[in-house]
C-alpha cells in the first residue's frame, strides 16, 4: 500500500499542489537564508525597501503570493540575487528520500564549455632582431573551466628572408595547466 504522499502525488491536482508547495518552501528558505547571511533584521529590510515592518514580516511568513519582482527587491535589499534551476517533477522529493543532491533536468545552458583552440603569432624580440613564431593550443580539462595550454616557440632561420617562407630552427615546448 502506498503512503498518503504517494497517493496525493499520483493525481494531477495533487502533483501540481506539491510542486507549488516545494517551490514556495524553496523561495521562503532562500529569503530566510539571505536574511541570516546579510545580518539585517526584518525591520532593517523594511527600512531599506520603504515598507512597513508588518508587510515585510508577512512576506517572510509566506502569507499570500509574492511576485517575482518583490522577491528580487527583497533579495537585492539584503545584497543577494536568486539563481533558479530546472528539475524534473518529483526530483526534489526523490533526492531527499535517496539522500542525494537534486539533479538538474539539463546541463546549465548558460555555462560555456571551453573549446579546443589553436593560434599563433610572430614576435620580434628586441634582442634578437628576427621573428619568432609562437604557436599555442588550448585543450579543456574535463568538464571544469580549466584549460591545458601548450605553446611552442619557433625561432626563425636567419638565412630565410621573410616570414612567408618561414623555416623553424627547432621547437621549445612550454606546457601549463
Amino acid at each position: 500500500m502506498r503512503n498518503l504522499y504517494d497517493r496525493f502525488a499520483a493525481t494531477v491536482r495533487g502533483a501540481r499542489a506539491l510542486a507549488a508547495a516545494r517551490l514556495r518552501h524553496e523561495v521562503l528558505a532562500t529569503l530566510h537564508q539571505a536574511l541570516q547571511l546579510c545580518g539585517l533584521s526584518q525591520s532593517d529590510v523594511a527600512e531599506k525597501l520603504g515598507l512597513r515592518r508588518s508587510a515585510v514580516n508577512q512576506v517572510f511568513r509566506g502569507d499570500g503570493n509574492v511576485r517575482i519582482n518583490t522577491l528580487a527587491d527583497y533579495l537585492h535589499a539584503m545584497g543577494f540575487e536568486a539563481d533558479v534551476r530546472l528539475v524534473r517533477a518529483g526530483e526534489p522529493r526523490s533526492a531527499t528520500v535517496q539522500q542525494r543532491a537534486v539533479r538538474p533536468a539539463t546541463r546549465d545552458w548558460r555555462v560555456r564549455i571551453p573549446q579546443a583552440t589553436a593560434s599563433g603569432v610572430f614576435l620580434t624580440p628586441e634582442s634578437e632582431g628576427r621573428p619568432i613564431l609562437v604557436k599555442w593550443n588550448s585543450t579543456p580539462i574535463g568538464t571544469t573551466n580549466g584549460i591545458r595550454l601548450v605553446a611552442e616557440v619557433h625561432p626563425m632561420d636567419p638565412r630565410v628572408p621573410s616570414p612567408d617562407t618561414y623555416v623553424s630552427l627547432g621547437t621549445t615546448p612550454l606546457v601549463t595547466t
Side-chain angles (χ1 to χ4, degrees):
M1 177 173 219
R2 296 185 307 174
N3 63 31
L4 179 61
Y5 181 94
D6 292 336
R7 287 187 298 192
F8 191 64
T11 67
V12 174
R13 187 172 167 200
R16 191 178 314 134
L18 287 171
R22 277 193 294 271
L23 180 58
R24 177 184 163 104
H25 177 268
E26 286 298 315
V27 168
L28 286 172
T30 300
L31 273 172
H32 283 277
Q33 183 179 24
L35 185 65
Q36 183 180 6
L37 290 172
C38 76
L40 298 174
S41 67
Q42 287 185 15
S43 296
D44 297 331
V45 174
E47 187 176 319
K48 281 186 154 202
L49 293 171
L51 300 172
R52 295 182 333 273
R53 187 196 179 294
S54 61
V56 171
N57 183 263
Q58 186 177 8
V59 168
F60 276 93
R61 279 194 326 260
D63 293 346
N65 286 328
V66 175
R67 292 183 6 220
I68 292 173
N69 287 344
T70 302
L71 175 63
D73 289 344
Y74 276 63
L75 290 173
H76 187 265
M78 294 182 283
F80 294 98
E81 293 180 15
D83 183 32
V84 179
R85 63 188 171 156
L86 191 64
V87 298
R88 297 273 175 211
E91 170 59 17
R93 164 89 172 153
S94 297
T96 300
V97 169
Q98 296 170 9
Q99 297 181 354
R100 62 171 171 78
V102 175
R103 294 184 193 120
T106 62
R107 206 168 73 208
D108 192 345
W109 57 271
R110 298 168 294 184
V111 176
R112 187 170 165 254
I113 302 203
Q115 303 294 316
T117 59
S119 193
V121 65
F122 279 101
L123 303 174
T124 306
E126 290 180 17
S127 61
E128 295 274 332
R130 60 191 162 115
I132 295 174
L133 174 63
V134 179
K135 297 191 304 186
W136 61 86
N137 293 304
S138 67
T139 311
I141 300 174
T143 58
T144 67
N145 289 332
I147 61 167
R148 181 172 197 269
L149 182 64
V150 178
E152 298 175 347
V153 179
H154 299 268
M156 189 174 136
D157 187 334
R159 296 169 292 183
V160 178
S162 83
D164 296 337
T165 54
Y166 183 83
V167 176
S168 174
L169 286 176
T171 301
T172 306
L174 305 168
V175 179
T176 185
T177 27

